[in-house]
């Protein structure tokens, strides 16, 4: 059985790590390079960096950040935010990123997934999907959750897999930052209907929530931010707890 992954997520705005609730009310959570190094030493399996600020200088700033992070960590890390071309990905991978995450650009141009997978390999390509429930249906949203689309979560997830994505990072906007637990019912559905790994995101508040998403949600990995940034949960303690509950993790 594959080990389950614990992934701290760093939302980057203007070079700093920030964290909000339901995608709003952002507060500062520290220097991303320092946090990355600390997580690498603490036993995180991977890291995800999402650049949520939209400045014209973003690509250059992000490439510089990736380079500085790569010098400090010895675990895989994924970078996302505003990636819309082969050139964007090339720059990030050359600077030391292991994977990239695409979201809005993939919805607007689904062929991008095929092109990136063909050029860099599926293992490099994560598609992030942000969705919330509207009238009982999980609907995909873009631009940091601000723009609803006509896409249903499961339909889009299946298309993403078909086009060559290596994994899906699913964030429940309803659960994001609430600390009430992950959206395990829909996560389970995604895991059962797709053959690529599903990363659960949105809602982590305590160790039981991680246990639940691996058992009830059948998630392959669990991503969280504030519980790690603000030291509410230590990664080594979490992994010990998971192992005690017969969930395979890398200690």
């Amino acid at each position: 059985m594959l080990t389950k992954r614990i992934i701290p997520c760093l939302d980057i705005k203007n070079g700093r790590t920030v964290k909000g609730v339901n995608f709003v009310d952002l507060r500062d959570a520290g220097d991303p390079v320092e946090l990355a190094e600390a997580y690498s030493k603490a036993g995180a399996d991977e890291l995800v960096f999402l650049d949520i600020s939209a400045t014209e200088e973003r690509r250059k700033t992000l490439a510089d950040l990736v380079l500085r992070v790569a010098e400090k960590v010895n675990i895989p890390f994924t970078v996302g935010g505003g990636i819309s071309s082969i050139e964007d990905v090339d720059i990030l991978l050359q600077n030391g990123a292991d994977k990239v995450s695409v979201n809005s650009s993939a919805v607007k141009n689904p062929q991008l997934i095929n092109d990136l997978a063909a050029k860099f390999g599926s293992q490099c390509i994560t598609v992030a999907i942000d969705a919330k429930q509207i009238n009982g249906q999980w609907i995909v949203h873009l631009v940091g959750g601000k723009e609803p689309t006509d896409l249903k979560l499961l339909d889009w997830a299946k298309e993403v897999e078909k086009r060559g994505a290596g994994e899906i990072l699913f964030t429940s906007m309803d659960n994001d930052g609430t600390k009430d637990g992950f959206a395990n019912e829909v996560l389970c559905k995604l895991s059962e209907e797709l053959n690529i790994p599903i990363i659960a995101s949105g809602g982590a508040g305590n160790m039981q929530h991680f246990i639940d998403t691996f058992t009830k949600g059948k998630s392959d990995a669990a991503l969280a931010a504030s519980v790690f940034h603000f030291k509410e949960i230590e990664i080594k303690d979490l992994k010990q707890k998971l192992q005690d509950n017969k969930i395979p993790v890398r200690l």
Side-chain angles (χ1 to χ4, degrees), residues 2-30:
L2 286 174
T3 57
K4 303 293 188 180
R5 292 171 287 151
I6 299 298
I7 307 176
C9 178
L10 294 86
D11 289 332
I12 311 295
K13 184 169 180 155
N14 302 326
R16 297 288 291 176
T17 310
V18 294
K19 185 60 196 127
V21 176
N22 300 123
F23 286 43
V24 293
D25 298 332
L26 302 177
R27 60 177 173 146
D28 190 272

Side-chain angles (χ1 to χ4, degrees), residues 84-174:
S84 57
S85 69
I86 281 176
E87 291 73 32
D88 291 342
V89 176
D90 221 7
I91 289 165
L92 296 172
L93 295 180
Q94 278 181 28
N95 277 276
D98 297 278
K99 301 187 239 184
V100 294
S101 169
V102 290
N103 188 336
S104 299
S105 58
V107 173
K108 290 170 180 168
N109 172 25
Q111 180 63 32
L112 179 67
I113 304 169
N114 304 63
D115 296 345
L116 294 180
K119 170 85 175 165
F120 302 105
S122 291
Q123 81 288 345
C124 274
I125 312 305
T126 301
V127 173
I129 304 177
D130 302 330
K132 72 195 289 188
Q133 288 197 77
I134 298 175
N135 301 325
Q137 294 270 14
W138 284 93
I139 302 298
V140 175
H141 282 59
L142 305 184
V143 195
K146 294 182 186 75
E147 263 181 36
T149 68
D150 297 331
L151 290 171
K152 290 180 183 160
L153 169 62
L154 209 58
D155 295 343
W156 176 233
K158 285 177 177 174
E159 182 176 345
V160 158
E161 177 179 41
K162 212 181 293 175
R163 287 180 177 275
E167 62 185 357
I168 287 172
L169 166 53
F170 166 63
T171 301
S172 162
M173 292 169 60
D174 298 333

Side-chain angles (χ1 to χ4, degrees), residues 7 9 17 20 22 45 56-57 62 65-66 78 95 97-98 101 124 144 167 186 221 237 240 245:
I7 307 176
C9 178
T17 310
N22 300 123
D45 297 294
E56 285 175 18
E57 280 283 283
L62 198 55
L65 174 69
V66 167
T78 301
N95 277 276
D98 297 278
S101 169
C124 274
E167 62 185 357
V186 72
D237 299 340
Q240 191 57 59
N245 280 268

Side-chain angles (χ1 to χ4, degrees), residues 61-79:
T61 312
L62 198 55
D64 176 58
L65 174 69
V66 167
L67 192 58
R68 289 189 294 131
V69 168
E71 288 167 353
K72 297 286 186 185
V73 307
N74 58 2
I75 55 175
F77 69 99
T78 301
V79 181

